[in-house]
Amino acid sequence: MDPSGQTAAIKYLKEQNSTNMFHELLTDEILAAAPVTEPERQHYFIGKLRDYIQMQAGAGSDSAEHMQAGAHRSLTAAVVTFGCQMNARDSEKLEGILSEIGYTITQDEQAADFVAFNTCTVRENANEHLYGRLGRLKQSKKADPDKIISICGCMMQEADEIEKLKVKYPYVDIIFGTHNLYTFPELLFMLFRKRQHAADEIYTAGKEVLRTSSDDRERMEKLLRYGSGPSNLKDIEKLSRRPVISVWKDSGDIVEKLPSRRKYSFKQGINIMFGCNNFCSYCIVPYVRGREKSRKPEEILEEIRLAAADGVKEIMLLGQNVNSYAGGLNFAGLLKQVDELCDGIGIERIRFMTSHPKDLSDELIETMANARHVCRQFHLPLQSGSSRILQRMNRHYDKARFLDRAARLKAAMPDISLSTDIIVGFPGETEEDFLETLDVLKEVRFDSAYTFIYSKREGTPAASYEDQVPEDVVKDRFDRLLEVQNRIVDENLDRLTGACLPVLFEEISEYDKDLITGKLENGITVHVPADPSVIGTIRKVRLTENHRFYYTGEL
Ligand code: SAH
Ligand code: SF4
Ligand code: F3S
């Protein structure tokens, strides 16, 4: 690049808009001095961004009065999460980074200076959700062009969704994927540079990329070189408003020790593994989350120790298929170590999500039954009760094996609460197949079932199956399934009405502010009239009434 040409253009831009200074905190030198090892590199950018945001917040207090008083308007950030527990945990990491940079976390995405959407793409309606929310932000972005909108998560691992965003939602500022979530500080730094007419420098740690905005880099460099003609400057300005994009194809890396901010002070999700190798024929998760990677037991135990020191009472070990944990020991081994660790440090409850029935070993059941802190709750996704459909789903178990696993769990822990996931209308599902599913529901009698209508995901094997089930048939089966399951839940929950059991109180009820919502050890919700000071504590509650999906009770 011809450095004098760039200087001329930038000098001109600076004169044009003095508030849009190429600030000394965003220079090429500062970028070049970033460490190349992680997490040091991201911590470096967090530090630089903190200085930059502080400077911006100061400049943002526009009235002279404010300036004199030295008052700072604190910048705000909202993180909107779609999807599963894994995404919820990732959002806590984003919030942790944003807080360290100096943003105040808010729920109000319309008013926030920074909004992150952490997306899910497991079913079509998850995608529609995002586009709805994004559309509703258009006006507030128009009113405040400096508002930053960033999108990450599973949906961004699909190249056609990125293209759609670029065309239909050009007001999105940052796009990144599941594999490089940890580079978020760096990407935000790049965005501020780009807004001030620097060329994109997308660092990919040598990884194969799905999409980046590096094309913009070449164009920007060219434009900067051509000097400062008016149409040229207009193009530079336009290019500087385009999004910073960095989405990787996969990554073997697990980057530890970045900030994170707990949503609840008393409970925390702990990732034990990432990704999935199972390729169930309907499911997009393995494509967007990549292959399985397990965290080291030392890292997991250390994170739990720190959480306990911080007052956490409940942890949930997270993974798409926790039973295939392979961090030098298996999941049962890890669970045993976690249980022993929790003995002296104040963590009372250990949960885990999700287990695949094909990998549910007797060893795990035994470990669970003998553990002191592992909750008597098991989420065991059935998907279908028909062995024929299970085979087409590539689930590697049949109806008999599933029933055997469920029976084994109940025999080892009679007070266990079982829950499941079911897909209705998988391609080729006949009435007989569906009746098999109802049959398993009636036999296992789950305390709760998350039921989904099959959603065709492009790129998965099942999307190309020819025998898709007609919508009206699916709808009818779905309604019948709910009817059966609701009746079972109603009868099941009666078993505990009148009992006096420990409840961990979590929050003020969404529906009635005089009630505090908590969870039994088995995961079932309880609403109790109580003072908000009980939140975060475990108290004994008498369960007075069964409302099918929850109880009401009294302290
Ligand atoms: N790893 C977990 C769950 C991942 S997705 C497991 O194996 O259980 C959560 C649930 O979404 C799945 O259990 C399944 O019931 C549902 N699901 C996944 N893909 C789907 C699709 N294409 N259509 C409808 N439901 C789906
Ligand atoms: Fe999807 Fe199957 Fe993996 Fe679960 S186990 S995430 S359903 S592919
Ligand atoms: Fe959705 Fe991704 Fe979880 S697709 S269900 S957020 S792993």
Side-chain angles (χ1 to χ4, degrees):
M1 188 201 306
D2 165 15
S4 60
Q6 187 188 29
T7 313
I10 290 173
K11 212 173 131 208
Y12 183 80
L13 286 161
K14 275 187 183 178
E15 284 161 11
Q16 287 296 300
N17 185 353
S18 61
T19 59
N20 207 9
M21 292 272 283
F22 197 108
H23 195 269
E24 59 187 20
L25 293 169
L26 302 172
T27 59
D28 291 350
E29 290 70 30
I30 287 185
L31 178 59
V36 289
T37 53
E38 298 290 4
E40 294 77 11
R41 186 174 172 87
Q42 301 311 321
H43 282 293
Y44 173 86
F45 286 114
I46 289 173
K48 298 297 170 199
L49 285 164
R50 196 187 301 131
D51 297 343
Y52 182 70
I53 291 292
Q54 224 167 40
M55 182 272 295
Q56 269 207 332
S61 24
D62 31 17
S63 83
E65 237 170 278
H66 272 173
M67 292 296 263
Q68 268 167 13
H72 271 205
R73 185 178 83 84
S74 154
L75 296 181
T76 56
V79 178
V80 181
T81 313
F82 302 100
C84 65
Q85 305 280 350
M86 249 73 61
N87 258 21
R89 181 70 189 128
D90 284 348
S91 288
E92 291 188 337
K93 293 176 186 168
L94 290 176
E95 289 189 351
I97 292 168
L98 286 162
S99 306
E100 286 236 350
I101 290 172
Y103 285 97
T104 302
I105 303 299
T106 165
Q107 308 296 324
D108 183 354
E109 68 206 61
Q110 292 294 339
D113 298 289
F114 178 99
V115 183
F117 289 105
N118 190 4
T119 62
C120 170
T121 187
V122 75
R123 289 169 289 274
E124 184 60 34
N125 56 7
N127 298 42
E128 284 156 11
H129 254 99
L130 172 75
Y131 290 121
R133 292 286 277 269
L134 204 49
R136 268 175 266 144
L137 273 192
K138 191 173 178 177
Q139 283 312 319
S140 66
K141 173 79 182 184
K142 220 171 175 177
D144 173 16
D146 286 337
K147 185 183 184 103
I148 301 171
I149 301 178
S150 117
I151 310 192
C152 63
C154 296
M155 208 173 138
M156 294 304 101
Q157 292 297 141
E158 296 173 284
D160 52 340
E161 298 291 352
I162 299 174
E163 293 312 316
K164 183 169 167 184
L165 281 175
K166 279 165 72 178
V167 176
K168 291 198 171 165
Y169 302 86
Y171 51 94
V172 169
D173 300 289
I174 308 178
I175 296 176
F176 55 105
T178 56
H179 303 297
N180 64 327
L181 183 112
Y182 72 87
T183 66
F184 168 59
E186 172 157 9
L187 295 172
L188 185 55
F189 184 84
M190 290 309 155
L191 180 82
F192 287 131
R193 273 174 58 87
K194 188 168 183 166
R195 290 291 177 266
Q196 304 195 2
H197 316 107
D200 290 56
E201 301 255 3
I202 305 295
Y203 171 81
T204 57
K207 298 293 185 311
E208 218 185 319
V209 299
L210 184 70
R211 284 287 185 282
T212 70
S213 48
S214 52
D215 293 357
D216 287 0
R217 178 195 168 88
E218 283 164 37
R219 286 185 54 204
M220 182 66 96
E221 281 178 347
K222 247 189 218 152
L223 286 168
L224 289 172
R225 212 178 302 146
Y226 288 146
S228 46
S231 70
N232 203 31
L233 287 166
K234 222 170 122 194
D235 285 345
I236 292 179
E237 190 58 51
K238 236 162 100 184
L239 198 55
S240 76
R241 303 306 298 181
R242 284 165 55 106
V244 167
I245 304 174
S246 178
V247 180
W248 303 355
K249 280 196 176 147
D250 201 347
S251 157
D253 300 350
I254 297 179
V255 175
E256 301 281 356
K257 303 206 166 50
L258 277 166
S260 125
R261 177 182 183 270
R262 254 193 299 284
K263 183 164 178 224
Y264 299 94
S265 60
F266 49 86
K267 68 171 181 178
Q268 183 178 326
I270 309 271
N271 296 114
I272 63 165
M273 45 133 23
F274 302 91
C276 180
N277 291 353
N278 291 315
F279 290 95
C280 301
S281 62
Y282 50 82
C283 184
I284 200 160
V285 171
Y287 304 90
V288 296
R289 284 269 170 180
R291 295 298 69 71
E292 284 178 7
K293 304 175 275 268
S294 295
R295 277 178 84 191
K296 294 196 189 97
E298 311 85 86
E299 299 281 4
I300 297 169
L301 296 172
E302 178 60 14
E303 190 177 355
I304 296 171
R305 234 177 257 126
L306 289 174
D310 234 11
V312 166
K313 299 228 162 45
E314 175 177 309
I315 54 170
M316 184 179 271
L317 307 178
L318 297 174
Q320 287 299 351
N321 180 6
V322 290
N323 328 113
S324 59
Y325 174 77
L329 68 174
N330 66 12
F331 182 58
L334 177 73
L335 192 64
K336 192 155 182 264
Q337 286 200 9
V338 172
D339 189 59
E340 280 162 9
L341 170 71
C342 288
D343 243 353
I345 60 174
I347 291 181
E348 317 241 3
R349 292 178 168 185
I350 304 167
R351 302 186 194 276
F352 53 87
M353 272 270 268
T354 303
S355 303
H356 195 304
K358 79 176 164 67
D359 301 315
L360 172 50
S361 65
D362 290 344
E363 186 194 2
L364 176 60
I365 297 176
E366 201 179 311
T367 304
M368 215 179 144
N370 293 327
R372 292 167 52 100
H373 306 285
V374 179
C375 291
R376 298 298 170 93
Q377 173 195 28
F378 211 100
H379 185 67
L380 195 60
L382 167 66
Q383 315 300 3
S384 167
S386 154
S387 298
R388 194 181 69 86
I389 292 292
L390 285 169
Q391 194 175 16
R392 286 192 101 194
M393 287 178 161
N394 195 31
R395 291 287 289 177
H396 297 281
Y397 56 86
D398 58 10
K399 182 182 179 189
R401 160 86 184 169
F402 187 94
L403 289 173
D404 167 74
R405 293 294 85 191
R408 191 100 191 192
L409 280 166
K410 284 184 173 180
M413 293 162 277
D415 55 344
I416 200 165
S417 175
L418 298 181
S419 57
T420 197
D421 291 349
I422 289 167
I423 297 176
V424 182
F426 182 79
E429 183 190 75
T430 62
E431 178 64 18
E432 288 67 44
D433 294 319
F434 175 68
L435 292 176
E436 299 268 20
T437 301
L438 289 188
D439 196 46
V440 177
L441 287 188
K442 288 175 192 158
E443 181 155 348
V444 179
R445 299 181 62 82
F446 298 99
D447 280 345
S448 72
Y450 300 87
T451 45
F452 306 108
I453 287 179
Y454 168 72
S455 172
K456 193 167 158 177
R457 306 317 283 135
E458 265 342 303
T460 62
S464 57
Y465 293 175
E466 306 234 305
D467 41 3
Q468 305 281 331
V469 184
E471 220 172 288
D472 54 331
V473 176
V474 178
K475 181 81 181 53
D476 172 65
R477 285 181 195 161
F478 189 79
D479 292 344
R480 283 156 62 205
L481 185 127
L482 279 193
E483 206 181 299
V484 169
Q485 179 57 22
N486 286 348
R487 203 181 51 238
I488 292 171
V489 175
D490 207 9
E491 291 162 8
N492 272 8
L493 265 59
D494 268 344
R495 74 181 186 274
L496 292 180
T497 311
C500 196
L501 292 168
V503 168
L504 172 56
F505 285 101
E506 300 197 334
E507 59 203 343
I508 296 173
S509 159
E510 260 179 73
Y511 309 103
D512 180 347
K513 63 177 175 29
D514 295 327
L515 297 179
I516 309 294
T517 303
K519 291 263 161 66
L520 292 170
E521 189 205 303
N522 66 18
I524 299 173
T525 299
V526 187
H527 298 288
V528 181
D531 189 83
S533 62
V534 298
I535 292 172
T537 66
I538 297 179
R539 303 287 178 94
K540 280 237 166 139
V541 169
R542 181 166 312 284
L543 307 176
T544 46
E545 207 177 327
N546 159 18
H547 298 260
R548 187 184 283 167
F549 300 111
Y550 62 91
Y551 296 101
T552 42
E554 54 201 21
L555 284 173

